């Protein structure tokens, strides 16, 4: 491991931050997303945006061009159709993240940036506010990266690595046992049981990797890693794992901040709400009945219809 960085954390009011993220088919939502994030980050000296668009089938590029003209500090790159050469989703996302990371590293326009924020731009960060963000500065812990929490429960288990909480790839673990215990129990053991509530006052939780849709990095930490969406066998992996491995190898430490809430819950944890639990139970029961009756394909269409009706 390299030497632990000693650069002090710059006060928020003096710091310049850049929000970066990949986008696709964002025409209807991107103006609202940038405005929401800019408001939550208003305590900083300046807020810029650098997004990477690819594979859109709507008028995302035209909308991004309009935003670039209307909003100071807003920029984007369009990488066109990546699906042909990069058919696996996390590989495409890694290409986008690495592309704008190289711009941040080399462009004079971003030399003044002190912190880089990786953010999902698809409507996840609806509960993020300045008070929650500023709790990252109310600590003496020297973090290189710090990631968000969700109020109902922490959801992003695929990007999570913690020695005791979630030490392995949750979906690889799921695939290893699903044929033995069935999909319902495999999902519970490998994913659902790890989506736990983190009390807001729990204090920072050190992890090997995490994301949760919103992460703040010191500049030197961010530029020490690369995103990788495929393993050595060409299988899909969460692109944050390799990135955070690199950060920690350079001596940077990563934490979840339970007090920095960016969402109440997500599509991945809706099942933990009262209504979501009832819906999930119904769907599982229908699927299990269909398997017993050997009519799974027919009932899957009914399940999809019920999901639409029940929200």
């Amino acid at each position: 491991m390299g030497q632990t960085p000693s650069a002090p954390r710059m006060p928020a009011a003096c710091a310049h931050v850049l929000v970066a993220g990949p986008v696709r088919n964002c025409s209807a939502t991107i103006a609202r997303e940038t405005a929401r994030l800019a408001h939550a980050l208003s305590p900083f000296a300046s807020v810029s945006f650098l997004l990477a668009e690819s594979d859109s089938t709507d008028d995302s590029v035209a909308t991004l061009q309009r935003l670039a003209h209307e909003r100071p500090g807003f920029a984007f790159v369009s990488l066109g159709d990546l699906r042909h050469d990069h058919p696996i989703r996390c590989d495409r996302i890694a290409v986008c993240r690495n592309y704008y990371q190289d711009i941040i590293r080399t462009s004079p326009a971003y030399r003044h940036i002190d912190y880089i924020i990786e953010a999902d731009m698809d409507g996840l960060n609806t509960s993020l506010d300045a008070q929650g963000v500023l709790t990252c500065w109310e600590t003496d812990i020297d973090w290189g990266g710090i990631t968000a929490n969700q109020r109902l429960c922490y959801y992003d288990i695929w990007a999570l690595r913690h020695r005791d909480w979630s030490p392995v790839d949750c979906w690889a673990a799921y695939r290893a046992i699903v044929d033995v215990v069935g999909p319902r129990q495999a999902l519970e053991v490998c994913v659902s049981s790890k989506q736990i509530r983190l009390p807001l006052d729990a204090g920072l939780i050190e992890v090997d990797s995490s994301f949760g849709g919103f992460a703040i990095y010191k500049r030197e930490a961010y530029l020490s890693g690369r995103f990788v969406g495929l393993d050595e066998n060409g299988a899909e992996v969460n692109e944050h794992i390799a990135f955070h491995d690199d950060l920690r190898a350079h001596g940077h430490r990563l934490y979840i901040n339970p007090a920095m809430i960016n969402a109440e819950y997500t599509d991945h944890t809706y099942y933990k709400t009262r209504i979501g639990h009832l819906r999930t139970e119904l769907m599982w029961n229908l699927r299990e009945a269909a398997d017993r009756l050997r009519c799974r394909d027919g009932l899957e269409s009914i399940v999809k219809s019920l999901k639409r009706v029940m929200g």
Side-chain angles (χ1 to χ4, degrees):
M1 178 175 289
Q3 290 185 337
T4 301
S6 58
R9 185 163 58 247
M10 181 173 293
C14 303
H16 300 273
V17 300
L18 171 68
V19 179
V23 293
R24 175 178 177 268
N25 289 339
C26 64
S27 179
T29 59
I30 192 61
R32 182 169 62 250
E33 289 301 304
T34 53
R36 179 186 291 128
L37 287 172
H39 180 70
L41 298 170
S42 58
F44 293 93
S46 72
V47 182
S48 304
F49 290 84
L50 177 59
L51 309 181
E53 180 278 334
S54 74
D55 302 284
S56 295
T57 55
D58 63 1
D59 57 348
S60 290
V61 173
T63 302
L64 291 166
Q65 288 173 336
R66 184 171 66 252
L67 271 177
H69 287 294
E70 295 174 353
R71 178 179 282 278
F74 183 94
F76 79 99
V77 292
S78 180
L79 302 183
D81 185 359
L82 294 178
R83 286 172 295 184
H84 181 267
D85 293 327
H86 303 275
I88 297 177
R89 178 176 176 271
C90 281
D91 184 36
R92 289 196 301 275
I93 294 175
V95 169
C96 292
R97 296 194 198 278
N98 288 329
Y99 193 95
Y100 56 63
Q101 186 193 63
D102 287 338
I103 296 175
I104 296 167
R105 180 182 289 107
T106 60
S107 173
Y110 299 112
R111 285 178 183 166
H112 69 294
I113 296 298
D114 302 298
Y115 295 93
I116 292 90
I117 295 171
E118 281 281 351
D120 281 345
M121 304 295 293
D122 57 359
L124 173 66
N125 292 293
T126 54
S127 297
L128 191 73
D129 60 24
Q131 182 179 0
V133 172
L134 289 178
T135 61
C136 300
W137 271 256
E138 298 171 359
T139 176
D140 293 330
I141 293 176
D142 182 22
W143 51 262
I146 194 163
T147 70
N149 180 31
Q150 299 76 51
R151 196 177 306 276
L152 179 63
C153 61
Y154 182 83
Y155 86 92
D156 197 2
I157 305 304
W158 198 20
L160 178 66
R161 293 293 187 276
H162 181 281
R163 183 185 63 185
D164 303 310
W165 177 7
S166 185
V168 300
D169 185 311
C170 63
W171 291 115
Y174 172 90
R175 291 189 294 272
I177 68 169
V178 65
D179 291 338
V180 178
V181 302
R184 188 172 188 174
Q185 289 194 104
L187 187 66
E188 173 63 27
V189 169
C190 300
V191 183
S192 303
S193 65
K194 302 179 188 302
Q195 291 175 321
I196 59 176
R197 180 178 176 271
L198 303 176
L200 272 64
D201 60 356
L204 301 192
I205 301 169
E206 187 164 12
V207 293
D208 291 339
S209 179
S210 59
F211 180 48
F214 187 86
I216 307 172
Y217 300 95
K218 286 184 177 180
R219 178 188 181 93
E220 64 270 22
Y222 183 79
L223 296 179
S224 68
R226 296 294 278 179
F227 296 92
V228 181
L230 300 175
D231 68 13
E232 61 274 11
N233 298 314
E236 185 174 29
V237 293
N238 189 284
E239 74 278 6
H240 294 280
I241 304 302
F243 174 66
H244 290 141
D245 283 347
D246 288 343
L247 266 63
R248 291 185 299 105
H250 284 83
H252 302 284
R253 299 170 70 182
L254 182 70
Y255 296 83
I256 296 172
N257 178 3
M260 184 167 64
I261 298 294
N262 66 333
E264 299 304 302
Y265 55 84
T266 73
D267 291 343
H268 304 286
T269 53
Y270 177 69
Y271 74 94
K272 286 184 179 283
T273 66
R274 183 172 298 177
I275 295 176
H277 174 73
L278 293 174
R279 189 185 78 172
T280 301
E281 285 296 306
L282 174 61
M283 300 309 171
W284 276 120
N285 289 335
L286 281 172
R287 290 189 174 103
E288 289 168 354
D291 287 340
R292 288 194 299 271
L293 297 171
R294 299 183 180 180
C295 57
R296 177 71 174 268
D297 291 342
L299 279 183
E300 280 296 335
S301 62
I302 298 175
V303 168
K304 291 178 182 178
S305 298
L306 284 171
K307 282 184 176 181
R308 288 194 294 269
V309 170
M310 298 176 70

